[in-house]
Amino acid sequence: MSDNPAFEQIESEINENDVVLFMKGTPVFPQCGFSAAVVQVLNHVGVPFKGINVLEDMGVREGIKEYSSWPTIPQLYIKGEFIGGCDIVREMFETGELSQAFTDKGVELQEA
Amino acid sequence: MPMSQGDIENFIKEALPDAEVVINDLRGDGDHYAAFVKSAEFKGKSRVQQHQMVYKALQGRMGNELHALALQTAVPEDGE
């Protein structure tokens, strides 16, 4: 595993929280359209999640891209597994695969 | 320096020669595109892996020169 110092922080976040969204801004004040779109999907599906504002930490902002070998933000993790960015989360939402993924991984959805 | 539609298509086709590539310029600023990529190379790969293959084809430009690429991938039906 790479000796990127941010990896430790990333791994603790994704292992300690069922659902983690690395994003630009916060769930209440997203600062990027793509991040906002994923927040909207997660709120719609009714799943609690931890938003991590990568704009506050350049190490995490770059480290997360190396960690998942995914070049952009936002990035969604469920139970430590990288699910995808905005396109994939939106596509999964539209096909119902996203709710299924949460259920399969034992993440409870709150009825809206 | 932003990327042109043709550049994106060439990079993808260089890495995925059989790919059918459709690119839409979302804002005309050379920075925000949507792309549809269909290739037999995606067969058996997850969506994340398919998208990573396209990003790899762009040789590090994704997230740098190219700010946004709304990506959709597909696998050709058998016999297509």
Side-chain angles (χ1 to χ4, degrees):
Chain A
M1 201 61 175
S2 147
D3 49 9
N4 185 325
F7 279 20
E8 215 175 294
Q9 188 182 345
I10 290 166
E11 270 170 4
S12 73
E13 292 287 4
I14 63 175
N15 291 326
E16 282 160 26
N17 301 282
D18 282 352
V19 184
V20 182
L21 179 64
F22 293 86
M23 60 179 293
K24 290 178 181 170
T26 64
V28 178
F29 294 109
Q31 287 171 270
C32 148
F34 298 110
S35 292
V38 176
V39 167
Q40 218 178 4
V41 165
L42 295 176
N43 289 338
H44 190 85
V45 169
V47 67
F49 66 96
K50 174 157 187 186
I52 293 175
N53 184 1
V54 301
L55 299 177
E56 285 172 1
D57 185 332
M58 194 49 96
V60 169
R61 179 176 184 174
E62 292 313 315
I64 193 69
K65 296 175 188 174
E66 188 186 330
Y67 184 80
S68 57
S69 56
W70 188 264
T72 54
I73 302 292
Q75 294 187 20
L76 179 65
Y77 288 75
I78 303 176
K79 297 254 177 157
E81 183 191 337
F82 175 58
I83 300 304
C86 182
D87 296 336
I88 287 179
V89 170
R90 228 188 328 218
E91 210 174 317
M92 287 177 72
F93 172 63
E94 280 151 15
T95 62
E97 287 170 79
L98 188 61
S99 301
Q100 191 58 53
F102 284 123
T103 312
D104 291 349
K105 293 176 187 300
V107 175
E108 253 169 55
L109 304 181
Q110 286 148 6
E111 285 314 313
Chain B
M1 201 196 78
M3 288 183 77
S4 77
Q5 214 158 312
D7 289 346
I8 297 173
E9 191 164 339
N10 293 336
F11 276 116
I12 294 173
K13 286 202 166 161
E14 215 175 283
L16 302 165
D18 76 317
E20 176 195 331
V21 183
V22 178
I23 297 180
N24 294 316
D25 188 338
L26 297 176
R27 293 200 194 151
D29 58 3
D31 229 2
H32 296 73
Y33 290 96
F36 170 80
V37 183
K38 182 188 273 191
S39 166
E41 308 273 335
F42 292 150
K43 217 165 244 171
K45 301 265 192 329
S46 70
R47 270 198 197 91
V48 168
Q49 290 165 326
Q50 293 174 17
H51 286 218
Q52 281 170 325
M53 288 165 75
V54 176
Y55 292 148
K56 206 164 155 222
L58 294 171
Q59 297 167 20
R61 287 172 180 74
M62 188 63 236
N64 296 307
E65 292 90 316
L66 186 52
H67 177 67
L69 180 68
L71 189 53
Q72 214 181 349
T73 53
V75 182
E77 302 295 322
D78 292 338
E80 201 183 321

